[in-house]
Amino acid sequence: MAFPGGTGGPWSYNRGPMPGAQHATTIGRMATTPPLPRLKRVPPGAWTALAWCAATAYSFLLLVRLPGEGDNGYPRHGFPDLMLDLLRPQGVFLLPGAAVTAAGSLLLRRRALPATALLLAGAVFGAMALNSSEINFPQFLPIDVALCFVAATRPRRTSAVAAGSALTVLAGFATVRLLLGFRIGTSTELAVALTAVVAWFIGHSARESRAHAEELGARVAAEAVVTERLRIARELHDMVAHSIGIVALQAGAASRVFDTQPARARAALGEVEAASRETLSGLRRMLGALRQAESGRTAQPSGLDPLPGLAEVERLAATTTAAGVRVEVRWRGELRPLPPEIDLSAFRIVQESVTNVVRHARADSCRVSIDCRPGELAIEVVDDGRGPGAGAGTGYGLLGMRERVALLHGEFSAAKRPEGGFRVAARLPVPAGVR
């Protein structure tokens, strides 16, 4: 049951930030908070004051004989007789009852226990004004509302004290009347006590539900932050590692032939410049995307290249071949338009695999096979090198590729070949009807 003024509403109570709430707050700033429903804008004290007024009016209305009603064994009067009842000595208790109820309603949000005590006093004065044998349910309704609010917004110890005070007042009122020789309504008092217990449980349940929702939201936000960090780490690794590997090879080649073959040295330095510019463009694109996400914009900045895909594989092969490792690309099937996330992941897998061949395999060549099958895309990168294998088991390349494939619900394998070399294979499912 949702309690009026739940999370974020005027009835909510600030219990301090939950673990990870900073991430939830940061993400929450990106969305506009909708306005609260009108009923949740009403402060809790207004509900208790309204409940006391309605209960008092209802209690006096029971003394009036309405059209079509008989006596039924109860003293019923006309409206003039009701006015005379209000002027009797017990009627003076209405004024202090209204005063303490108003004071308790004003204090309810700031001082829960003193406010509950004042509301209980108001219920007692109301019962005394009616010369009632018990505090009936309408008179106890403001306390039920207050108990529900206190249990929903305050610590359990505070709400337990408030509930215990309410039950103590009910028992004390009946005990005093019994000691003075007056009759008491035992069954009614028990029913009213049960309403107090139910109100406390409703508020306590609302508090636990809100705490669970906050904890769950904080956990989801924290997981989203971790996922985004891993995505950024994969992009940086796949983008920078390949380019830096090419730069290192070309720079080494240029330094070796700088004096004897100036033309080849200039060509190698040109490749270094091109790889550096490509890396810089990728970094600018990533920073631009991060700033867009923070500001809520989604348009791509002008002047930046689009995200790479399988269309860039031939250029990747040419660049790597120029660096000294020949890359053979084999296409099978019909290359269809792919979703951006599959197209980018497929290219990154090929790029990282080729980078590992260049850095670790000590191979002269490798073969890239891309098979466009119905409903899936298969990628295989094979080399016959004599090195320790892709990544030598210590880097983040294989881990990043495995994570990419797992996010797309595909299959990934990477292992040494029995005949020598290393093999990387990935299968990415492609949704039907993609355009």
Side-chain angles (χ1 to χ4, degrees):
M1 176 178 179
F3 190 72
T7 304
W11 289 49
S12 61
Y13 174 64
N14 185 7
R15 297 179 289 106
M18 302 290 292
Q22 296 88 343
H23 302 305
T25 303
T26 302
I27 295 178
R29 292 173 184 167
M30 299 168 60
T32 303
T33 303
L36 289 171
R38 291 185 178 181
L39 290 180
K40 288 191 175 184
R41 301 176 193 174
V42 180
W47 290 110
T48 55
L50 180 62
W52 189 88
C53 294
T56 303
Y58 174 75
S59 298
F60 280 104
L61 186 62
L62 292 179
L63 301 177
V64 180
R65 181 182 297 171
L66 299 177
E69 289 186 332
D71 289 339
N72 295 328
Y74 296 94
R76 298 295 182 99
H77 311 286
F79 186 75
D81 296 327
L82 176 61
M83 294 295 101
L84 293 176
D85 285 341
L86 294 177
L87 298 177
R88 290 178 180 177
Q90 64 268 23
V92 299
F93 290 111
L94 280 179
L95 184 59
V100 296
T101 300
S105 300
L106 292 175
L107 289 176
L108 184 57
R109 181 179 291 178
R110 293 172 295 169
R111 305 286 299 276
L113 292 181
T116 304
L118 291 173
L119 293 173
L120 286 169
V124 172
F125 283 129
M128 294 173 65
L130 294 172
N131 196 21
S132 177
S133 60
E134 72 278 327
I135 301 177
N136 55 39
F137 172 72
Q139 294 163 345
F140 207 76
L141 183 59
I143 290 87
D144 288 339
V145 175
L147 286 178
C148 194
F149 167 75
V150 173
T153 59
R154 297 301 192 271
R156 183 180 300 178
R157 179 179 300 179
T158 302
S159 63
V161 171
S165 302
L167 297 178
T168 301
V169 169
L170 287 175
F173 183 84
T175 302
V176 169
R177 285 189 61 89
L178 190 62
L179 293 176
L180 294 177
F182 299 115
R183 65 184 180 89
I184 61 174
T186 306
S187 58
T188 302
E189 291 290 279
L190 292 176
V192 172
L194 181 61
T195 63
V197 174
V198 171
W200 185 87
F201 273 109
I202 291 175
H204 182 68
S205 176
R207 181 179 182 273
E208 289 188 337
S209 297
R210 186 172 66 251
H212 176 71
E214 291 176 359
E215 183 178 358
L216 184 62
R219 183 176 301 177
V220 171
E223 291 177 355
V225 171
V226 172
T227 301
E228 184 65 11
R229 288 176 177 173
L230 290 176
R231 186 189 69 83
I232 295 173
R234 286 193 300 268
E235 284 297 317
L236 284 175
H237 179 274
D238 295 346
M239 177 177 59
V240 175
H242 172 76
S243 299
I244 296 302
I246 297 298
V247 167
L249 286 177
Q250 295 287 10
S255 64
R256 287 192 295 269
V257 299
F258 189 81
D259 295 326
T260 59
Q261 302 181 42
R264 289 190 59 186
R266 282 194 296 270
L269 292 177
E271 294 292 336
V272 169
E273 180 183 6
S276 301
R277 291 184 181 276
E278 180 182 358
T279 303
L280 179 61
S281 177
L283 291 175
R284 290 177 57 196
R285 180 174 57 244
M286 180 170 293
L287 291 176
L290 292 175
R291 289 175 179 174
Q292 289 168 6
E294 183 177 355
S295 61
R297 295 181 289 111
T298 57
Q300 177 148 340
S302 58
L304 296 182
D305 297 333
L307 292 174
L310 289 180
E312 303 290 326
V313 169
E314 296 290 350
R315 185 175 64 85
L316 172 69
T319 303
T320 308
T321 300
V325 178
R326 186 171 58 86
V327 178
E328 178 186 359
V329 181
R330 297 181 180 180
W331 298 88
R332 299 188 181 95
E334 180 184 358
L335 181 60
R336 302 180 301 274
L338 299 172
E341 63 275 9
I342 296 179
D343 199 17
L344 174 63
S345 296
F347 173 76
R348 293 302 189 197
I349 291 171
V350 174
Q351 183 185 49
E352 177 61 24
S353 301
V354 172
T355 300
N356 287 337
V357 172
V358 172
R359 297 175 60 187
H360 306 292
R362 292 195 302 223
D364 296 329
S365 65
C366 68
R367 183 179 71 251
V368 176
S369 301
I370 302 175
D371 190 357
C372 301
R373 304 170 184 172
E376 69 175 14
L377 178 70
I379 300 171
E380 183 185 60
V381 180
V382 178
D383 68 79
D384 55 358
R386 302 174 303 279
T394 59
Y396 296 101
L398 293 179
L399 178 62
M401 289 188 285
R402 196 178 303 276
E403 288 176 349
R404 286 185 181 276
V405 174
L407 289 174
L408 297 175
H409 308 286
E411 297 178 4
F412 178 81
S413 62
K416 293 183 178 180
R417 303 169 62 201
E419 62 273 23
F422 204 84
R423 176 180 179 269
V424 174
R427 292 175 58 251
L428 304 177
V430 179
V434 173
R435 293 291 182 267

